[in-house]
Amino acid sequence: MSKKSSSGSGLMSSAGLMRYYEADKKAVHVDPKAVLIFGALIGFAVLMLSAVYGAWP
């Protein structure tokens, strides 16, 4: 049978996660509510422009 080595295996698996979270701190964070509101406003603007320019069904 193979023998597992306990030294180093936990360190290697956690090292990637630590680097991932450090990179995530530098990213731009946007609130999900802001994305939904922005999408709704864009949708409303498209509908209004369609109505104004005669493309309304």
Side-chain angles (χ1 to χ4, degrees), residues 2 11 16 20:
S2 67
L11 182 62
Y20 171 76

Side-chain angles (χ1 to χ4, degrees), residues 3-24:
K3 192 176 190 182
K4 287 188 176 180
S5 172
S6 64
S7 65
S9 64
L11 182 62
M12 289 301 288
S13 65
S14 67
L17 291 175
M18 289 172 64
R19 279 186 254 140
Y20 171 76
Y21 287 119
E22 287 175 1
D24 191 39

Side-chain angles (χ1 to χ4, degrees), residues 30-45:
V30 180
D31 187 32
K33 291 178 186 176
V35 173
L36 290 175
I37 291 171
F38 184 71
L41 288 175
I42 294 295
F44 184 74

